Amino acid sequence: MGAAPRSAGAWFGALGLVALVSVLPLWLFCSDPEPRRTAILVALGCALASVGGIAVSRRAAGGRRPYAAVAVAEFSGAAETGGPGAAEPVAYPPRVLPSRRRLQVRSLAWYLGVCTALVTLLALVMGAPQRPEHMQRIADAGAEFALVPVEKVSDVQLHDPSKGRDYYTSTTVVRLATGAGGEPLTATVHPVTPERPHAGGRVSVLHAPARPGLGALAGDEHSLGAALEGSTMGTGRVWIVGLAWAAGIVLSVVGLSLRHGFGSFSRLGAADMAVRGKCLGPGFWQRDSQKERCLRIVTTSSRTAHFLASLAEDHVPESLTGQQLWLCWDARRCADGGRSSAGSTPAALVSDDGWVMHGMLKVDDARMMAAEGVSVEKAAAGNVEPRALRLWDPHSAWLLYVAPSVLVLAAVLIGCAALLTFDIAGVWRWVTGIAGAVAGLTLGYLATTAPYSSKARPEETQGKKK
């Protein structure tokens, strides 16, 4: 499929991720509204540019292709005549494999991008992009907090929350200053107080001493300080958003661990084992309610192993069935009491053609094959010349097979985020946020199911095109 689409996908994906991740800290911690909005819009513009770059790069590469065609092309062997299976049998398993770090980084970046987009939308909806108009006028005139006398109280209401202390709300007239004619200047505020307000008492307000005619806002540094400084939300909400983001990061790491594990599994040693086997084609590993896609590998002693990989029937060439290859796995995690003794262990398939596929192997299968497996270090001791191997990684060419609707949804998501940086009040703010969240979730679903959207193998991958 060529290196250009893979390189373009990696660069544009990285640009989009960096731009997206930068929005949340700018929204939470930049206190100047105008520079904050400008910086966020620039970041979102870079994200939108990455979406456009993906579309242009795909057109330059020849247009969209089914994932099945991309996956089958990854099996094309070094032996150009005869296709897969034409190479001579390899007597030794390799000591060094192509690293799977790029697979792991790409998966982690995808998980982080989805969770960051959703948490950012939540923060944009919950926050205020700028100070309220009244507060802005007071701030421009030199805002200060002060305890001012109460002249009149009305509409007093007692609130009894299910948790916490009772509090009062009221409509209160307060005296701010004395005008030039000797008449007092007053303002009407709506304070929230733990004690019942009364005439002659005092309440805390925010006002501009130089311009008392602008009125006042009820509150103190605790309730109005963050908004006065230009913050989009109070400390409590910042903590909620931060904890949600941290939870998303943890879930992303857990997802990476379940799908790929953490090790690179690139240099095989004494603790790694290998067995010679024959591929039976795609299938499913199933136990109770669990079901996972796999390649079935049968050994010379008729033991069947299930190499866990996301492969459907139209993702592999027909010639793969019956092909001889090496199955290698990390045997340390299969030991009794090991950290992953109840789950899976990193594994790799190495074909005689030179392609290497990373995946996972169920620990039960690994223990079953341990009797006929050999230590990679001992088996490869006589293999002095390293083989030229290449990584089977069709997902690195994701730019070629993602649906056009994914790019449209990404643009909608970016547009909703940009709108939320402006002062959209009331229900429309939540409508915009929900629309962005729906676009983001749909984008994630379509991108995840893209490899399985094509059920029929293209003719050229079956060798039937004449």
Side-chain angles (χ1 to χ4, degrees):
M1 288 298 170
R6 304 174 195 271
S7 178
W11 280 105
F12 285 124
L15 173 63
L17 179 63
V18 171
L20 181 64
V21 170
S22 66
V23 172
L24 188 57
L26 285 171
W27 181 254
L28 294 180
F29 304 116
C30 184
S31 60
D32 199 335
E34 290 303 323
R36 176 178 63 220
R37 178 183 292 121
T38 300
I40 290 176
L41 291 178
V42 168
L44 293 176
C46 291
L48 188 61
S50 71
V51 174
I54 290 169
V56 172
S57 298
R58 179 158 68 186
R59 180 181 291 273
R64 182 173 180 255
R65 308 175 196 183
Y67 176 80
V70 178
V72 170
E74 293 286 288
F75 287 100
S76 58
E80 296 182 359
T81 59
E88 293 294 328
V90 177
Y92 305 102
R95 291 289 300 272
V96 178
L97 300 177
S99 175
R100 59 177 185 167
R101 284 299 186 201
R102 290 188 178 182
L103 285 75
Q104 295 168 316
V105 170
R106 187 168 56 247
S107 293
L108 182 61
W110 170 246
Y111 298 146
L112 289 176
V114 172
C115 82
T116 300
L118 296 178
V119 172
T120 300
L121 280 172
L122 175 65
L124 289 170
V125 172
M126 292 173 57
Q130 60 191 41
R131 300 184 186 99
E133 184 179 355
H134 191 190
M135 179 182 288
Q136 185 64 53
R137 291 199 303 267
I138 294 174
D140 292 340
E144 291 183 6
F145 289 100
L147 286 173
V148 295
V150 176
E151 291 197 344
K152 183 180 178 181
V153 178
S154 60
D155 299 330
V156 179
Q157 295 184 17
L158 173 63
H159 299 267
D160 183 13
S162 58
K163 294 182 180 180
R165 298 181 59 182
D166 299 348
Y167 63 93
Y168 291 87
T169 59
S170 62
T171 302
T172 303
V173 178
V174 298
R175 186 170 68 251
L176 298 180
T178 302
E183 296 182 359
L185 295 178
T186 61
T188 301
V189 295
H190 302 277
V192 177
T193 57
E195 304 293 338
R196 184 181 182 90
H198 58 86
R202 288 181 175 271
V203 296
S204 177
V205 298
L206 176 69
H207 72 121
R211 296 185 60 186
L214 293 176
L217 292 171
D220 54 17
E221 293 184 2
H222 176 72
S223 59
L224 298 180
L228 180 62
E229 292 175 357
S231 300
T232 56
M233 59 182 68
T235 304
R237 293 189 176 187
V238 171
W239 274 102
I240 292 174
V241 172
L243 290 175
W245 196 17
I249 293 174
V250 171
L251 290 176
S252 299
V253 174
V254 171
L256 174 67
S257 174
L258 294 175
R259 185 172 182 182
H260 296 296
F262 295 120
S264 64
F265 200 57
S266 58
R267 184 172 294 277
L268 307 182
D272 300 310
M273 300 193 70
V275 68
R276 189 73 170 166
K278 181 173 64 176
C279 181
L280 299 181
F284 289 93
W285 173 87
Q286 188 167 4
R287 178 173 296 174
D288 300 329
S289 60
Q290 297 182 15
K291 187 177 183 180
E292 298 183 53
R293 293 181 181 271
C294 70
L295 279 178
R296 293 171 296 133
I297 310 297
V298 62
T299 65
T300 55
S301 61
S302 299
R303 293 184 174 93
T304 301
H306 301 84
F307 180 81
L308 302 182
S310 299
L311 286 169
E313 289 187 3
D314 58 341
H315 297 168
V316 298
E318 293 176 353
S319 56
L320 182 64
T321 301
Q323 189 175 146
Q324 295 288 331
L325 37 73
W326 283 99
L327 171 60
C328 310
W329 70 92
D330 182 353
R332 291 174 299 179
R333 303 196 178 195
C334 305
D336 291 334
R339 292 178 299 171
S340 302
S341 59
S344 304
T345 187
L349 289 180
V350 184
S351 80
D352 294 345
D353 286 344
W355 56 261
V356 176
M357 181 188 299
H358 282 284
M360 303 291 282
L361 187 67
K362 287 297 179 181
V363 168
D364 290 343
D365 284 0
R367 288 173 177 167
M368 174 188 66
M369 294 185 299
E372 62 179 309
V374 295
S375 169
V376 172
E377 187 174 55
K378 293 179 180 180
N383 187 13
V384 295
E385 294 185 3
R387 296 175 57 195
L389 301 173
R390 66 188 183 282
L391 183 65
W392 185 88
D393 185 18
H395 290 97
S396 64
W398 59 269
L399 177 146
L400 293 176
Y401 65 79
V402 293
S405 56
V406 170
L407 303 182
V408 174
L409 289 169
V412 172
L413 174 62
I414 293 169
C416 290
L419 285 175
L420 290 172
T421 62
F422 294 90
D423 193 15
I424 303 175
V427 67
W428 290 109
R429 189 167 193 84
W430 284 99
V431 168
T432 304
I434 292 173
V438 170
L441 291 172
T442 307
L443 183 155
Y445 173 77
L446 291 179
T448 302
T449 58
Y452 308 106
S453 59
S454 174
K455 299 301 181 185
R457 185 185 302 163
E459 289 184 357
E460 64 269 23
T461 65
Q462 299 183 41
K464 297 180 180 179
K465 188 175 182 180
K466 301 295 184 181

